[in-house]
Amino acid sequence: MTVLFDGIASGMLLFLISVGLSVTLGLMNVVNLAHGAFAMFGGYVCVVLLNRLGMPFLAALPVVALASALVGVVLERTLYRRLYGASHLDQVLFSIGLVFVSISTANYFFGDQQQTVQLPDGLSGQLHLPGLDVGVYRLFLVVVGLVLAGALQWMVTGTKFGAKLRASVDNPRAARGLGIDVDRVFVATFALGSALAGLGGALGIQMLGLDPEFPIKYIVYFLIVVAVGGSGSIKGSLIASLILGICDVAGKYYVPQLGAFVIYAVMVATLIFRPQGLFGRSAAK
């Protein structure tokens, strides 16, 4: 039960960080391999707010999300918008270049050492349940992840903004003809994806650590979540994250000699039977 719960918490953290990529890659059709850089930015903002300015952890999280969203808006307006009509290769090369720029910037300002943050007393320690010791912070991640997943799913499928977003991606010309401000929809969506990445990066410091190599170390995991869950599916990203998190933790616990091989095996097996992912559009049809 402890391994299962730790797997769920690990998967929920993976969801919190990667769901922003599901928004930009899946919903906007932008190959943003610099997603990890936005998560790293959020992590460093959290470190500065907590360790240098003394802000409480929970109060810092909305500031982290807002700061990440603002950076996303600036980069979208100045750089990313020029690539919407470009090939995926151009988008990949640009975003990889942005990753290396972010790594150098983080090295310059913070050095190459691991960053740490002090959690509040209310999120530290464990809850002792019959037959199970539950980490309070891990339980907090599970609750935040579920709330966020529900809110995002409702936004995409049950709001006017979600309908405008889907129309803008599927047929921008027709969307403009219907009076939809496609540029405004795109910048708002990119800001949302950036805010989610930054928030996930801040929440992940305690479990994943934070250093300038963060965007390189974890981008493969974020891409696996989007690929297995299905492009543009919030529910798919959530379920994929939970499956991958549980399999990864269980594999490392029971067969540690395999390392991270288990998570790749799960990805390969899933994509063999569901090439579009668990909840990709083609699979849904």
Side-chain angles (χ1 to χ4, degrees), residues 231-251:
S231 180
S233 173
I234 305 299
K235 178 173 67 174
S237 294
L238 175 62
I239 294 176
S241 297
L242 292 176
I243 292 174
L244 294 170
I246 292 172
C247 291
D248 188 43
V249 171

Side-chain angles (χ1 to χ4, degrees), residues 29-42:
N29 197 30
V30 175
V31 183
N32 182 23
L33 296 187
H35 179 78
F38 289 94
M40 180 180 68
F41 173 80

Side-chain angles (χ1 to χ4, degrees), residues 136-169:
V136 176
Y137 187 68
R138 294 175 184 268
L139 182 61
F140 171 74
L141 291 178
V142 172
V143 173
V144 171
L146 290 175
V147 171
L148 189 60
L152 289 172
Q153 183 68 17
W154 171 76
M155 183 206 74
V156 173
T157 61
T159 66
K160 186 178 294 185
F161 176 79
K164 290 181 178 179
L165 172 60
R166 296 194 302 273
S168 299
V169 174

Side-chain angles (χ1 to χ4, degrees):
M1 290 298 295
T2 301
V3 172
L4 177 62
F5 177 78
D6 285 348
I8 292 174
S10 177
M12 199 61 74
L13 176 59
L14 189 59
F15 169 76
L16 287 169
I17 301 179
S18 62
V19 67
L21 182 60
S22 182
V23 170
T24 54
L25 175 58
L27 296 179
M28 295 181 64
N29 197 30
V30 175
V31 183
N32 182 23
L33 296 187
H35 179 78
F38 289 94
M40 180 180 68
F41 173 80
Y44 278 115
V45 171
C46 184
V47 168
V48 170
L49 292 176
L50 268 62
N51 296 347
R52 300 186 184 180
L53 302 181
M55 183 176 291
F57 180 74
L58 294 180
L61 294 180
V63 180
V64 168
L66 179 59
S68 302
L70 291 176
V71 169
V73 169
V74 171
L75 291 178
E76 195 277 342
R77 291 289 83 183
T78 57
L79 298 175
Y80 277 94
R81 67 181 302 184
R82 305 173 186 273
L83 296 171
Y84 287 154
S87 67
H88 286 168
L89 177 60
D90 290 338
Q91 295 175 357
V92 166
L93 293 175
F94 165 76
S95 55
I96 289 178
L98 192 59
V99 166
F100 287 113
V101 170
S102 69
I103 291 174
S104 299
T105 303
N107 257 312
Y108 179 80
F109 285 104
F110 297 95
D112 59 358
Q113 66 270 22
Q114 284 282 341
Q115 303 293 324
T116 59
V117 293
Q118 183 65 38
L119 294 176
D121 293 337
L123 295 178
S124 302
Q126 292 186 324
L127 294 177
H128 301 286
L129 304 177
L132 177 65
D133 290 334
V134 177
V136 176
Y137 187 68
R138 294 175 184 268
L139 182 61
F140 171 74
L141 291 178
V142 172
V143 173
V144 171
L146 290 175
V147 171
L148 189 60
L152 289 172
Q153 183 68 17
W154 171 76
M155 183 206 74
V156 173
T157 61
T159 66
K160 186 178 294 185
F161 176 79
K164 290 181 178 179
L165 172 60
R166 296 194 302 273
S168 299
V169 174
D170 290 340
N171 196 326
R173 184 175 180 181
R176 288 189 176 93
L178 293 173
I180 298 175
D181 190 336
V182 174
D183 291 338
R184 181 175 296 181
V185 170
F186 274 7
V187 72
T189 306
F190 198 88
L192 175 62
S194 302
L196 293 171
L199 179 63
L203 291 171
I205 297 174
Q206 191 69 16
M207 292 176 60
L208 300 179
L210 179 65
D211 61 63
E213 300 298 322
F214 184 93
I216 294 292
K217 284 193 283 189
Y218 296 107
I219 186 59
V220 173
Y221 284 83
F222 309 151
L223 291 172
I224 289 176
V225 169
V226 176
V228 173
S231 180
S233 173
I234 305 299
K235 178 173 67 174
S237 294
L238 175 62
I239 294 176
S241 297
L242 292 176
I243 292 174
L244 294 170
I246 292 172
C247 291
D248 188 43
V249 171
K252 291 177 179 177
Y253 182 82
Y254 291 110
V255 282
Q257 61 273 22
L258 294 180
F261 173 78
V262 174
I263 194 172
Y264 296 109
V266 172
M267 177 194 69
V268 171
T270 302
L271 296 181
I272 287 175
F273 295 100
R274 292 270 190 171
Q276 302 300 322
L278 295 175
F279 293 91
R281 292 187 180 184
S282 296
K285 292 178 182 181

